[in-house]
Amino acid sequence: MRITSSAVSLNVADPTASADFLKRHYGFAEDMAAEGFVSLSRPDAGFNVIFLKTGLPTFKPESAKGHADGLLLAFVVDDIDAEYARVQAEGVAITTPIETEEWGERYFQTADPNGVIIQLVQWMTDPGQSTGS
């Protein structure tokens, strides 16, 4: 198998609102859109983000038609403090202020208009290093 691209699809009530949020505050570009569907990308993200309107009759499997819950979109950045200041200056509500975990992950979180959590992360240590002795 050879994978030629990757995407994550999230079911939301208003795909356009979520897409506009990622375009305005996180630099994504719209690749394509149709009724109830928006696909976004960034050359450095490694995957497309697709928003689908909840309840689309064409969505399969039927059991997965609900809202995207219990997940977050995480993006690793080079300067978490600069991104935090930039997002705050743009008026984005911060759902989780900057925190640094004992394993070296420094992050903060925002939520788009549909409640999808976007987390920016900077690794303060090599994520492959063990913190144990």
Side-chain angles (χ1 to χ4, degrees), residues 27-103:
F28 278 77
E30 187 174 296
D31 289 339
M32 66 174 65
E35 183 65 34
F37 165 87
V38 182
S39 178
L40 305 169
S41 67
R42 277 184 60 121
D44 57 353
F47 62 92
N48 284 29
V49 177
I50 298 170
F51 293 107
L52 298 172
K53 184 166 180 59
T54 51
L56 283 176
T58 57
F59 194 82
K60 307 286 189 289
E62 181 80 20
S63 62
K65 268 183 153 172
H67 183 269
D69 284 323
L71 59 90
L72 53 88
L73 292 174
F75 300 103
V76 177
V77 298
D78 291 329
D79 188 343
I80 195 73
D81 295 299
E83 293 301 326
Y84 188 72
R86 178 189 62 78
V87 169
Q88 282 186 310
E90 291 176 2
V92 176
I94 305 296
T95 56
T96 304
I98 284 187
E99 294 183 11
T100 303
E101 300 289 0
E102 63 183 57
W103 53 84

Side-chain angles (χ1 to χ4, degrees), residues 2 13 15 21 23 45 65 73-74 79 89 100-101 110 115-116 119 126:
R2 184 172 92 71
F21 185 82
K23 290 188 301 187
K65 268 183 153 172
L73 292 174
D79 188 343
T100 303
E101 300 289 0
T110 63
V116 174
Q119 176 174 299
D126 180 351

Side-chain angles (χ1 to χ4, degrees), residues 8-19:
V8 60
S9 291
L10 305 172
N11 295 343
V12 296
D14 185 347
T16 301
S18 286

